[in-house]
Amino acid sequence: LQIEYSLIECTVERELLPMARAFGLAVTPWGVIGGGVLGGRYDTAADPMAVADSRRAARNATRITERNLQIARKAREIAQAIGRSPAQVALNWCLSRPNVIVIPKTNSVARTVENCAASGWSLTAAQVAALEQAFPL
């Protein structure tokens, strides 16, 4: 399955992910960093960066909410505590999910290198719980 799936868009955990597991399907999510929201691009729903690029602003209009920014703040808090970037925390969380193959989209070599550093380590159970408490289904 190719579906939007991230810390801010996890409704697929109700039906699509269990179905994928039941049928042995892999999931290749898109939007894992939430259009930059989970990567730390925005601080508030009224952030001027949100409207700096009209195409990006249109795509992210539904993503830049107080709920999602709260989740992003939790990812940033964990990232600071472990010496990682918020994007790496969001990617690592997604990588830890069963049957999920993450192929992050980037627009630069530096971001590709940063995203690759999201693998090879794991969030602790407490860190995963803290992230998931920020977005109860």
Side-chain angles (χ1 to χ4, degrees):
L1 297 176
Q2 186 176 25
I3 52 178
E4 183 175 7
Y5 183 46
S6 70
L7 285 166
I8 63 173
E9 179 47 67
C10 55
T11 57
V12 298
E13 290 191 354
R14 292 183 180 142
E15 296 175 354
L16 293 177
L17 291 184
M19 180 201 69
R21 283 185 214 112
F23 287 106
L25 300 173
V27 175
T28 55
W30 56 272
V32 176
I33 304 173
V37 173
L38 293 168
R41 181 181 292 270
Y42 310 106
D43 289 325
T44 67
D47 193 320
M49 281 297 294
V51 294
D53 175 337
S54 59
R55 287 184 312 171
R56 183 177 294 126
R59 282 193 312 260
N60 286 336
T62 59
R63 290 182 177 144
I64 305 170
T65 65
E66 191 51 45
R67 171 201 175 267
N68 293 350
L69 292 170
Q70 180 64 31
I71 295 167
R73 284 190 281 276
K74 179 55 72 174
R76 186 178 313 130
E77 174 186 310
I78 290 170
Q80 289 173 344
I82 62 175
R84 299 283 178 173
S85 73
Q88 289 170 341
V89 168
L91 287 163
N92 187 275
W93 174 84
C94 206
L95 283 166
S96 72
R97 314 315 281 177
N99 299 47
V100 174
I101 302 166
V102 177
I103 306 170
K105 175 186 168 193
T106 64
N107 59 2
S108 71
V109 172
R111 287 234 170 91
T112 300
V113 170
E114 178 186 357
N115 290 344
C116 287
S119 65
W121 57 278
S122 298
L123 292 164
T124 66
Q127 291 164 338
V128 170
L131 286 168
E132 292 177 356
Q133 285 175 352
F135 68 84
L137 286 176

